[in-house]
Amino acid sequence: MVQVGKWPLIAKALRDSNKTMGKGIVFGLLVLLSPVAWGQVFTGAATEALGGAGRAAVMPLESHYLNPAAVAFLKSSMYVGGAYQSLRGSIANPESTTAITIADSSSERIVSGGFGYVNKRQSSPAGIINDQDFSLSLSAKVIPTVGLGLSTRRLVRQNSNGPSWAKHNAGFGLLVVPIPVLGFSFTAHDMINDDALDMVPVLGLGTHVIIMDIVRFRADVSRQEKLNPEKKGTLNIGMEIDPGYGFQIRTGGWWDGLANQTYWTGGLAWIGPNLSLAYGVRNNVNVTGDTAHTFQAWLVF
């Protein structure tokens, strides 16, 4: 999802506090106020339901954001879809995210690609932050079992009680599928330096295992490369069961070591020949009422 936060205010607090309180106290404040995840722009219903894992999987909409290399492994089609997420960490601070995604891996094209538009709105007593994120990804198979992908993004922030700005960044991904039931990935998000730290680089590894095309396991590990002196990481684990008739049952766990938060996730999906629907829920087990609901639909052409 779009990475938003109160970093302009936090940066000012960092400069002032360094003079009086020291870096240790300031970093503690940063961790408490940091977003759930850095780097990836958006996570759809499938990823939310599967504990945030999916860098080594091939998904019609989410791969564009999680690992652009995976777009090259989509079946030869064009995918168009949208998603809506509602997050209410507290009554006074609701958030909503809307996303539109297009992915094209048509067989006549040498290079596959994707486009995404994500709008995220955060409300609080201090004001409203509205982020618009435009992203583009390109990918291709170097050999039939190895794919490479590049992604770029433009993030435009409008802040009712603070500075507004527009920034650009880029990342890349690698996906290796030695056999159809096994995948490995490496991703790097937001690798262009941002002195204001509104965009923080994140490195990630992932794996995807399919058993008899009925049970699928996903696991990701990632680490924020700045504002993380103790080098703490995040673990995402998910399991998907396919009982047949197009239905999929999903569950997972999300352990954020940097923010010291744990999430339980779950969801359902129905995959049709042309129209597909999915729902995912993410619940913070440490904070009562901190729950996100994501709804998603897409068409195959």
Side-chain angles (χ1 to χ4, degrees):
M1 59 186 68
V2 180
Q3 306 310 318
V4 297
K6 301 176 180 178
W7 287 113
L9 298 177
I10 293 172
K12 183 178 183 300
L14 178 61
R15 291 192 297 267
D16 296 339
S17 299
N18 275 343
K19 300 176 182 178
T20 58
M21 294 187 294
K23 293 182 180 180
I25 297 177
V26 175
F27 179 74
L29 293 174
L30 292 175
V31 170
L32 290 174
L33 296 173
S34 64
V36 171
W38 288 93
Q40 62 203 42
V41 176
F42 174 74
T43 55
T47 307
E48 287 287 310
L50 291 161
R55 288 175 172 84
V58 179
M59 298 174 288
L61 303 188
E62 286 101 320
S63 289
H64 166 73
Y65 303 102
L66 294 174
N67 184 359
V71 177
F73 287 84
L74 288 169
K75 294 181 180 179
S76 298
S77 300
M78 175 177 286
Y79 303 82
V80 179
Y84 174 79
Q85 181 182 85
S86 174
L87 170 64
R88 186 174 290 274
S90 67
I91 296 177
N93 296 279
E95 300 178 12
S96 63
T97 302
T98 304
I100 299 174
T101 311
I102 301 172
D104 187 359
S105 60
S106 302
S107 58
E108 65 272 13
R109 302 184 187 280
I110 299 176
V111 177
S112 301
F115 169 80
Y117 169 74
V118 181
N119 182 285
K120 183 169 183 177
R121 177 186 174 92
Q122 285 185 313
S123 300
S124 70
I128 297 174
I129 295 177
N130 192 78
D131 280 5
Q132 296 185 79
D133 195 290
F134 304 84
S135 55
L136 178 68
S137 66
L138 297 173
S139 62
K141 292 181 181 178
V142 180
I143 59 176
T145 58
V146 178
L148 292 175
L150 298 173
S151 62
T152 61
R153 59 184 293 216
R154 171 181 169 84
L155 176 59
V156 181
R157 170 164 297 176
Q158 295 175 319
N159 192 339
S160 65
N161 194 31
S164 299
W165 43 259
K167 294 188 177 184
H168 302 80
N169 220 301
F172 65 91
L174 167 70
L175 179 62
V176 180
V177 186
I179 54 177
V181 297
L182 183 64
F184 301 98
S185 68
F186 172 76
T187 58
H189 289 90
D190 292 343
M191 299 309 293
I192 298 177
N193 185 58
D194 176 17
D195 292 333
L197 297 177
D198 293 302
M199 295 179 169
V200 177
V202 172
L203 300 180
L205 297 171
T207 185
H208 185 206
V209 180
I210 303 174
I211 301 176
M212 298 179 64
D213 205 28
I214 298 176
V215 181
R216 306 178 184 94
F217 294 97
R218 303 180 187 180
D220 291 0
V221 292
S222 59
R223 190 177 71 185
Q224 182 177 306
E225 296 302 305
K226 292 185 178 181
L227 293 174
N228 187 9
E230 297 183 11
K231 302 300 181 182
K232 293 184 177 181
T234 297
L235 173 64
N236 309 94
I237 296 177
M239 179 181 70
E240 180 180 85
I241 299 175
D242 188 345
Y245 302 100
F247 290 97
Q248 295 177 349
I249 303 170
R250 297 160 171 163
T251 188
W254 184 325
W255 293 268
D256 188 336
L258 180 58
N260 195 28
Q261 300 293 328
T262 300
Y263 302 86
W264 168 87
T265 67
L268 297 169
W270 179 75
I271 310 300
N274 297 109
L275 173 65
S276 299
L277 305 170
Y279 164 73
V281 58
R282 184 184 78 230
N283 182 61
N284 189 334
V285 302
N286 304 114
V287 181
T288 302
D290 184 2
T291 304
H293 301 274
T294 306
F295 304 88
Q296 187 166 294
W298 65 96
L299 293 167
V300 181
F301 296 94

